[in-house]
Every structure is written in C-alpha cells, then in structure tokens.
Amino acid sequence: MNDEKGQVIGDEKKSNYADSVPTIDTVLAHRVASKVIWVVRTSVLVSQASDRERRLKVRKVLNDAMAKGVAEK
Amino acid sequence: MILKWLRIKNFRPFFGEQQISFSEYEQRNVTLVHAENGVGKTSLLSAVLWCFYGRLVEGVEQPEDILNHEAAARGENEYEVSVRFSHEAKEYEAVRKGFDSTNRLQVLEVTGRGFIPVPHAENFINGVVPSSMAGYFFFHGEGNLGTKGKNIRGAVRDILGFGFAELAVDDLDNIIASVRRDVTKHAKGSSLIQINDEIERAEEKAKEEKMLRDRLIKENAQKEARKRDLQAALRAVDNLRELQETREKLQAERTRKKKELIESRREELEFINKFGWVIFGDMLQALESKYLDDPEVKGKFPSPYYETFIKDLLDQGTCICGEDLSSHPQKQANVRRLLASAGTSQLIDRVSGARSKVTEIRTMRAEAPDQWRKIRASVRRVENELVGIERQVDEAEEKIDSSDTDEVEQIEMELKELENRLFNIAVALPRCRAQITELEERKKSLEVKSRQASAKERELMQLRARQDFIESVRDQITGVLDTAEESAIAEIESRMQGLMESISRKDYTPTLDVEADALRMVSNSNIQVGASTGERLLLNFVFISTLIQICRERASDSSELLIPGAIAPFVIDAPFGELDDVYKTETAKFLPQRAQQVIVFLSTSHWKGRIEKELMPYIGTEYVLISRRRQPDDGKRQKDPIEIRGKTVEQSVYGCEVDMTEIMEVDW
C-alpha cells in the first residue's frame, strides 16, 4: 500500500483482528466504491429499484468484496 | 446535445400538434421565444424537461394538469412531447407519451434507413444530460435558486455529478448504521476478557488449595505415624499396656460414635427440609380442606355448570327447562350471561391441582410426627452413648496419668497435641477438598462460557471489520466528493468574479459562502454588501451560467465515482426579470456566449430597451406565443401588441374557435 491512510488502516487491522478479517486498503475501497456507485446508478436508471432493493444490491457488492478480501489474503 | 426541434401535442396550453425549430447556427445560436406572462413560456420549458425526465419546471402551478383542457373537453386523453436532438454526431428523437397520469419515454436513433429504438431510454437520456444537471441547462430564471441563500452547495454538487455518489453514501450510511447496531448488540453480550480473568483466578486458587491439601495429607500421615509410635511407647511401659490398649479401643469407638452422631443430625436437618413447609402449610390446608370438603361446595366449585354445557344449550337453541331460546332473545341473553361464570377446563385443572396439593400436605402432616420422634430418639441415644465412652476414655487417661513418670507424662502431652492437630487436619482437609472441587467445577463452567464468548467475540471482530470496511468505502467516496467540491468552489468563484467585473457597475466581488450555503457580494475591504433584487438576480444568473460552463467542460470526465458533465443548450426562461436597463444590456451581451445553443423565453417588458439591439445579431430563429381566446373581441380587451423586426404582432387574439396558445414563427 502506497497510500499513507491505507497503510495505517491496514496495519491496524493486522495487529488487532483475527486471521479471517480482511485488510482494508485504499485501492480495494476505491474499487468497491466505484462498484457501489455503479450498482446504485443502474438500480435507479435501469431497473428503477426501490430503496430497499437498491440497498440489498449494495450489501451484496460489499459482501462479495469482503469475501474476496478474505480469499485474497 | 443540440436541440433540433420540439413537437408538442395537447400539452398544457398547447392544443393539437405544434412545433418549434431551434437555431442550430454557430453564430446566430439564439432561439428567441416571445410571450406574455401566463401564455406558455414556462410550459414550453416544462415540455423539454417533461419529455426528457418526466417532470415539469419546479414550482409550476398544477403540475398534474398536463392534458390540454380543450383536448380533454373533446374527449382526447393523450398528450405527447417529442424532441429531436443531435448528440455525438448522431441524431435522436425522444418521445414521451402521456395517458391520464401515466407516461412512457421512448428514444429512437434517427438513421438514413429509419428509426432504431435505443434501449433503456431513461438511462440514455441521463447519459446525455444527467437529470440532476438538467435544471441548470433548462433554467427558470424567475426561480429563486441562490437568491434566498438556498441550494448553492447542492447546485455545485449536482453540476459536479455527485448525484449517484451521494445516494451511494446515503445507502452506505444506512448499512453502516445497521452494522453498528449489530456490533452494539454483540458487544453487550461479550465479556471474554472478564471470563478469562475469572478462569485464571479460579485456577490459581485451586492450585493453592491443592498445595494445602497435599501438605495436610502429608502432615496427617506424619502425625498418625508419630501417634502410632507414641501409643506403642506407652504400651511398652510395664503396667500401662492393658490400660493403653483399652484407651485405644475406646478412642476408636468414640470416633465411630461421633460419625454416627453427625449422621443422625444430618437426618434431623433433612427432616426439617422435607417437612418444614408442611408444618407452615398445615393451617392453610386445614382452611382450604374445610372449604373444598364442605358438602355445600363439593361438586359446585369452581362452578356448578360448565362452559361447554352452556354453549351446547345456546347451539341447540333450547334451555334445560325446554324453553325455545331462539325465539326469546332476552332468555337467550340470560343463558349467554352464564358463560361469564361457567367453569372452564383450565379452572377445573387448577382446582384439581389445588385438591391434590392439599391431600399431599395432609398425608405428609400425618407422617411427620412419627418420623421426627424416631430421628430425635436416635440422636439422643448416640449422644448418651458418646457421653459414656468419653467418660470411659477420661477414666483410662486418668489411670495412665496417675502412673506419674516423666516419660509417660511427656508422651501423653505430645499425644494430646497430636490429637488436637489431627483433629484440625481432619476438619481442614474435607473443607479443602470441597473447595478444590468447587473451584474446578467453576472453572469448567467458566470455560464453557469462555468458548461461547469467544465465538461471540469472533463475530464481533468480524462485524467491526465489516463496519470499518464499509466506512472506508464511504470515506473514499466522500473524500473524492469533498475534494472535488472544494476545488470547484474556488474555480466557480474565480470565474464568477471575472464575469461580474465585465457586467457589474460596482466594484463588488461575488463569493460562495459554503457554510451559509449562499451567494454573497463583498466589497474590496471584504465586507458583505447588500445587493438589490436585480443584482441578486444577476448574481444568480452568473452563477448558473458558470455552472453550465463547468458542466460542459466535465463532459468527458472519466471519473468512476462522479457522473460526467454534459454539453447541452442553455434554455432560459425570463433571464432579465427585474434587472435594470444597464444590467439587461450587459446580460444580453454575454448570454449568447454562454452555450453553443441558447434558447431564451422573453415577455414584452423584457424585450424593451437595448436587449433587442444586443441580441438581434445572434438570433437564428424567433417565435411568438399567441394567446387565442374564445371571448368575443369587444374592442376593450388588451391585445398585447409587440413590435418585432419592424412589424407589430398582437399577442392576444379574441373571438377564436378554441382557447389555446399558438406557436407562431417570426419569418418576416
């Protein structure tokens, strides 16, 4: 991690959390943020989903990202 | 986006199908539409917005009233707006059709071979000009944006394409709140550290007790051995052998009796445990038995009749006396009232339970005295036997002591000390063992709790990690938004200052007060100055035109988090409002330069003065909205004449066949 903020967050997690907990880095957070916005945008414009449906989709993006974070680690 | 034409059918004041073509010239880029107030300027602006986004200009009166009244009166129920436009070298036609309160958008690509439907029409239009930015391109100049210190920050964020990112932040905040609630819930039940501390303490205490136990066992063995040696020594003294043997036998018997006494006393305690409550409950059972066994009550409690019996009577409609209840509502009501006091199966179960408890108390009460007498007799017998043995032991000891030799005296003294110590060990050892057992059981139970808490703690850690993760995603977005907003505000201020310098006659500087969410004018000495209504309108207009300029520059923005900007015509309704002549002139000068295509709606009062002169070189197409009314022309009605290109046009015409607004092209 090059980003100073990301480095701090990542190190903190490593020292405090169990092995199953993924490290949080800025690159991953940025990638997930883009994906979340994309999901929100398509939910509104294409599927015209309700707030609840849209948030479920956002949750799925986050869950997938967390799971992937664990697998990568 | 460049608008080619707008076609409207039965939309608000516009009856039938009418069309307006927009100027596409590079130099003469202004399309001018003249109309008096209330004739249809705002409706025309609304038609563009409605076609693209399904909404009207904010604050328009009766927004649900879209179908033209004349058309409705003739039984028509469909209305429609089509906009032909070009975008990135292709031509499209957006068509929105309305029927009652529903409507549907279709976008078609116009090709040499015909029309090709564009999928996801709403999405496509939002890609061309995002809905959140549309309000600034299709701008209602008499609206109050900025003039009352409202929505300034929101406008900047809209034009920077924050819309979906802000919605995503809202969603993430909502999810974070939900995870936080879960964390709180788990954290409440989590006490792993405390439990593990308790396990450690129990382990330490058990270790100490085990050491004590081992020490006592060892000491006991040593003392017993020493005792045996001393007893043997006594037996070795010539005339004491028999006495000593007798004493040892008596002492052994005394130990057995003591154990017997302890057992008898334990039985005493057990009896009290078992029968104590019966003795206290005896008086109560006597009273209850008296009531339950009373011949007057027996069989009538809890009620002389049952709920099912009353219900059967009501179902059959016949009383027990043979009376027909169905034809006598009063009697039926009387029978129904009995339900309130009827016995139910639940009540009967309770009474039955109470009877059985009373019987149990009575039986136990009868058995108790005999058992108590037996236990007491046993205790007394053992106590007496023990007293007898103690006396015999004392006599034997007295005889041994009377031998009066130093050696025996010394042995006896040591034996007594040993006995005392062994007695103390005998008391301490079981207590110590019980303590160890209790501590080990406690440790086991704590270990179970620890495993449970540990599982919870793992879940808690995962939840916290989840919360941190989502917060970091949210912070990524807000970080990008805040940075973009900060730099944009500085840029907007700088551009507004440049524009105002060329327009305003005063040496004031426009600023964006983000904290107060307001546009301000400040003097050279950085003091806020009060702006007139016209100046506020000008400030507002300069702000909006700067926003659309930035939006245009952001059209190719490839940020993943923000919606790209847009190139679109500047459609403005009543831009000159309450500006004085000087400001009107200056505004008219720079207006055509604000966008590639400018569409201006003006009333006659706005047209007066030097606006015509300033705008004329830029006008590509020009229209007048004519108000046609059925009311007869009595010669007194205002005909709202306007002079355009040397010709006078009456904007209000009376004695027409229908009430409507007509779009008339100025083509002379």
Side-chain angles (χ1 to χ4, degrees), chain B residues 216-227:
Chain B
L216 288 171
I217 290 169
K218 196 176 170 185
E219 190 186 350
N220 192 57
Q222 287 168 347
K223 300 284 184 211
E224 286 287 353
R226 179 66 185 153
K227 186 180 160 187

Side-chain angles (χ1 to χ4, degrees), chain B residues 437-607:
Chain B
T437 309
E438 192 188 316
L439 285 164
E440 282 179 344
E441 279 172 5
R442 176 162 174 70
K443 190 186 148 201
K444 274 183 194 167
S445 128
L446 284 167
E447 278 170 348
V448 172
K449 280 187 185 171
S450 172
R451 279 196 293 277
Q452 290 167 348
S454 176
K456 274 187 182 176
E457 201 84 349
R458 209 174 304 120
E459 279 177 44
L460 182 61
M461 281 194 293
Q462 284 175 341
L463 279 170
R464 280 186 178 144
R466 182 173 168 75
Q467 185 184 336
D468 287 344
F469 178 72
I470 305 172
E471 281 174 357
S472 72
V473 173
R474 190 233 6 231
D475 293 347
Q476 270 295 315
I477 302 175
T478 51
V480 169
L481 301 191
D482 291 346
T483 310
E485 184 186 356
E486 203 179 317
S487 58
I489 282 170
E491 181 63 26
I492 290 167
E493 268 185 346
S494 157
R495 292 189 190 192
M496 282 178 70
Q497 283 161 14
L499 262 177
M500 283 299 277
E501 270 173 26
S502 64
I503 298 172
S504 176
R505 63 177 77 97
K506 292 177 186 169
D507 197 11
Y508 294 156
T509 308
T511 57
L512 289 181
D513 187 342
V514 179
E515 293 301 317
D517 201 18
L519 287 172
R520 304 220 187 279
M521 294 271 260
V522 294
S523 67
N524 283 343
S525 47
N526 208 24
I527 295 168
Q528 188 189 331
V529 289
S532 66
T533 310
E535 281 167 337
R536 282 202 302 272
L537 183 68
L538 187 65
L539 196 59
N540 194 16
F541 183 57
V542 164
F543 174 62
I544 295 296
S545 63
T546 307
L547 287 185
I548 63 168
Q549 190 184 14
I550 286 177
C551 190
R552 200 166 57 227
E553 289 163 14
R554 287 194 58 257
S556 55
D557 193 333
S558 59
S559 160
E560 289 171 319
L561 304 187
L562 307 179
I563 306 165
I567 297 172
F570 188 20
V571 186
I572 183 161
D573 177 13
F576 304 112
E578 295 177 48
L579 296 180
D580 63 24
D581 282 344
V582 176
Y583 283 147
K584 275 179 186 171
T585 307
E586 296 303 321
T587 306
K589 271 184 192 171
F590 87 87
L591 189 59
Q593 299 152 26
R594 302 320 297 164
Q596 195 177 341
Q597 187 181 36
V598 178
I599 298 158
V600 187
F601 300 109
L602 287 181
S603 64
T604 311
S605 61
H606 293 160
W607 185 236

Side-chain angles (χ1 to χ4, degrees), chain B residues 319-338:
Chain B
C319 182
I320 195 168
C321 61
E323 192 79 62
D324 180 16
L325 294 175
S326 52
S327 54
H328 294 88
Q330 186 55 48
K331 287 178 181 171
Q332 191 186 45
N334 288 343
V335 173
R336 191 177 296 284
R337 258 198 298 278
L338 293 173

Side-chain angles (χ1 to χ4, degrees), chain A residues 13 17 20-21 24 26 28-30 33-34 36-37 40-41 44-46 54-55 58-59 62-63 65-66, chain B residues 120 122-123 126 164-165 167-168 171-172 174-175 178 461-462 465-466 468-470 472-473 476-477 560-561:
Chain A
K13 302 308 167 225
Y17 293 150
S20 60
V21 178
I24 297 167
T26 314
L28 176 65
H30 189 88
S34 306
V36 164
I37 292 170
V40 167
R41 183 188 161 92
V44 172
L45 294 179
V46 181
R54 192 183 65 244
R55 281 177 190 154
V58 172
R59 272 179 191 271
L62 297 168
N63 289 343
M66 288 281 283
Chain B
H120 306 305
E122 310 271 359
N123 196 16
N126 266 281
F164 294 117
L167 191 54
D171 287 351
L172 291 170
N174 184 282
I175 295 166
S178 148
M461 281 194 293
Q462 284 175 341
R466 182 173 168 75
D468 287 344
F469 178 72
I470 305 172
S472 72
V473 173
Q476 270 295 315
I477 302 175
E560 289 171 319
L561 304 187

Side-chain angles (χ1 to χ4, degrees), chain A residues 32-58:
Chain A
V32 178
S34 306
K35 177 85 174 155
V36 164
I37 292 170
W38 182 82
V39 161
V40 167
R41 183 188 161 92
T42 50
S43 297
V44 172
L45 294 179
V46 181
S47 51
Q48 294 174 347
S50 66
D51 286 357
R52 190 174 167 276
E53 289 166 335
R54 192 183 65 244
R55 281 177 190 154
L56 282 174
K57 287 180 183 180
V58 172

